[in-house]
Amino acid sequence: MNISITQRQLFFLIIKTQIGIGLLSLPSVIQDSAGGDAWISVLGSGLVIQLLILVYWRLCSQYPGMNLREMSLLFFGKYAGKAVNFIYYCFFVVVAGYACTLYVRLIKVWLLPLTPSWVLLLLILAVGVYLAVENLRVVARFYEVASILLIILLGISLASLSNETHISNILPMGQSGMAHIAKGSEKTFFAMLGFEVILYFAAQSKDTPRGLIRTISFANWFVTLFYAFFVFICLIGFSQDALSKVKEPVLFLLRGLTFQLFDRLDLIFLSIWIIPMSATIVSYLCMAGKSLTKKRSAYQRMVWFSGTLVLVLASYLSTRESLDTFSKWMEYGYLVMIAAVPLLMWAMSFLFRSFYKRRLT
């Protein structure tokens, strides 16, 4: 369970967890608030995440070799710490179930409309559990190899520039005002989640504190610029009225492209995109297992059990017509689990430091 990973592997663990289904609908979601300045909202969200990452870094640097489960036991005590870790476990299982539901709905709409949802769920979770039960180094190596596909995705997206584009859609910059840009950043923040893996995976990274902050910051800004690029090409490719009516504008941008050797680039793009989406499920299954266990045998059993819970939850959610209410509660939960609790630990770390200094004197 304590097998170390390199800083490069940590980088790919972070970006592959963050880059998921949220990107496909992000341009239409945030343009309602920020309009042509939606790409600026993405950069603003990256800045907010960077501030939160600094808190994560301070915790990981002050308590090297400890992940969030061990920090919870340290800060909150044996019993309260176990309760906090159990809440984290439930939270990660719910996130994985919610993500699976969104993935299945997307695949049914665009690729396999006649395939039953439970079949798609079984396939996604079978692959996710199969990989998650391995040690972190194996998972990181898979992410590292699979990240080559991001280059292919960028290449496919560049083909959309052959369509008619209108740079005037984003001019003049700042026309939406700071309040609307900030509201767009709030929506973008929830589409870029996944960076909380730092609190679990950084403990196994062979890196100095300075190297760690460099790695996790680079990962954050890579994802931020990656998202900003796709939002930008959608803004100049669609009018604001059209963008508000399209649910997955990234795919629609590629739908009409046809070349001599390739047809329906949107389906090719989505087929490749399934791998990053599946990687997000693997990461949350890993964090669910690590939040309650330390021994490898117990961790593997916990991953299998978590996969079963995710299957049950996703099967239930797939029967619901709308997930808007559930999604809103998920956002509140995210703010507590990935922001409020780590910030509380960071504040408590100063008290711990003062306590130890008094003990030494």
Side-chain angles (χ1 to χ4, degrees):
M1 289 293 290
N2 292 321
I3 293 177
S4 61
I5 58 174
T6 65
Q7 59 181 2
R8 184 178 70 252
Q9 290 170 337
L10 177 62
F11 169 81
F12 286 112
L13 280 167
I14 297 171
I15 67 170
K16 294 295 285 183
T17 305
Q18 277 192 269
I19 298 176
I21 193 172
L23 174 63
L24 301 181
S25 59
L26 181 63
S28 62
V29 170
I30 61 176
Q31 75 87 31
D32 288 336
S33 300
D37 295 319
W39 65 277
I40 302 178
S41 294
V42 178
L43 299 180
S45 181
L47 180 60
V48 173
I49 292 174
Q50 182 63 34
L51 296 176
L52 195 53
I53 282 177
L54 290 175
V55 174
Y56 290 3
W57 171 69
R58 290 296 300 175
L59 286 172
C60 294
S61 300
Q62 290 179 16
Y63 305 96
M66 297 179 65
N67 60 26
L68 185 59
R69 181 187 67 84
E70 295 162 327
M71 291 181 192
S72 298
L73 295 175
L74 174 65
F75 285 112
F76 302 115
K78 180 180 179 180
Y79 298 105
K82 286 183 177 180
V84 170
N85 287 328
F86 179 73
I87 294 173
Y88 269 107
Y89 171 79
C90 295
F91 173 71
F92 293 141
V93 168
V94 170
V95 172
Y98 178 66
C100 280
T101 305
L102 295 180
Y103 297 165
V104 167
R105 289 190 175 188
L106 180 69
I107 293 172
K108 284 182 68 67
V109 169
W110 285 87
L111 292 176
L112 305 171
L114 301 181
T115 304
S117 298
W118 66 268
V119 174
L120 297 175
L121 283 173
L122 276 178
L123 291 174
I124 292 173
L125 286 171
V127 174
V129 172
Y130 176 77
L131 187 57
V133 294
E134 299 295 331
N135 64 66
L136 188 59
R137 187 180 296 170
V138 174
V139 176
R141 286 173 176 171
F142 170 76
Y143 285 9
E144 196 172 357
V145 173
S147 293
I148 298 174
L149 297 174
L150 294 179
I151 301 175
I152 300 176
L153 294 176
L154 284 173
I156 295 175
S157 64
L158 288 174
S160 66
L161 297 178
S162 62
N163 292 328
E164 185 178 0
T165 58
H166 302 277
I167 197 69
S168 59
N169 290 348
I170 63 170
L171 297 176
M173 289 188 294
Q175 59 180 315
S176 301
M178 289 301 299
H180 291 285
I181 293 176
K183 189 175 182 180
S185 294
E186 178 186 350
K187 295 180 179 179
T188 307
F189 177 83
F190 294 105
M192 295 173 62
L193 293 171
F195 56 89
E196 63 271 19
V197 297
I198 296 170
L199 292 171
Y200 283 95
F201 297 159
Q204 296 177 238
S205 175
K206 298 185 299 184
D207 210 348
T208 62
R210 181 175 297 181
L212 177 62
I213 187 60
R214 183 169 58 246
T215 299
I216 60 181
S217 296
F218 185 39
N220 173 51
W221 287 110
F222 176 88
V223 174
T224 299
L225 294 176
F226 190 84
Y227 273 52
F229 169 74
F230 279 96
V231 170
F232 179 82
I233 62 175
C234 287
L235 288 173
I236 64 175
F238 293 101
S239 66
Q240 289 192 23
D241 290 337
L243 199 56
S244 62
K245 298 175 182 177
V246 178
K247 193 171 183 180
E248 286 95 17
V250 174
L251 296 178
F252 272 98
L253 199 64
L254 302 170
R255 188 171 187 174
L257 293 177
T258 301
F259 297 94
Q260 189 171 0
L261 295 177
F262 301 101
D263 193 17
R264 291 300 301 271
L265 283 182
D266 57 318
L267 299 185
I268 297 175
F269 183 96
L270 183 58
S271 299
I272 298 174
W273 194 256
I274 290 175
I275 297 178
M277 291 192 301
S278 300
T280 301
I281 301 297
V282 174
S283 294
Y284 278 104
L285 287 174
C286 288
M287 288 191 288
K290 288 178 179 290
S291 63
L292 290 182
T293 60
K294 185 176 183 179
K295 295 182 179 179
R296 177 157 180 76
S297 58
Y299 166 80
Q300 291 178 326
R301 289 194 298 270
M302 187 58 65
V303 169
W304 281 102
F305 179 69
S306 302
T308 304
L309 291 181
V310 170
L311 177 61
V312 173
L313 177 61
S315 299
Y316 166 72
L317 291 177
S318 63
T319 62
R320 297 172 63 94
E321 292 185 5
S322 176
L323 295 176
D324 292 341
T325 303
F326 187 82
S327 176
K328 181 60 65 175
W329 281 107
M330 284 286 297
E331 292 178 2
Y332 294 143
Y334 251 116
L335 289 177
V336 173
M337 304 307 289
I338 72 169
V341 175
L343 283 170
L344 177 60
M345 290 183 177
W346 176 66
M348 291 176 67
S349 68
F350 292 98
L351 299 178
F352 271 64
R353 190 184 311 169
S354 301
F355 173 76
Y356 288 131
K357 285 182 177 179
R358 288 197 301 269
R359 288 282 302 270
L360 291 174
T361 56

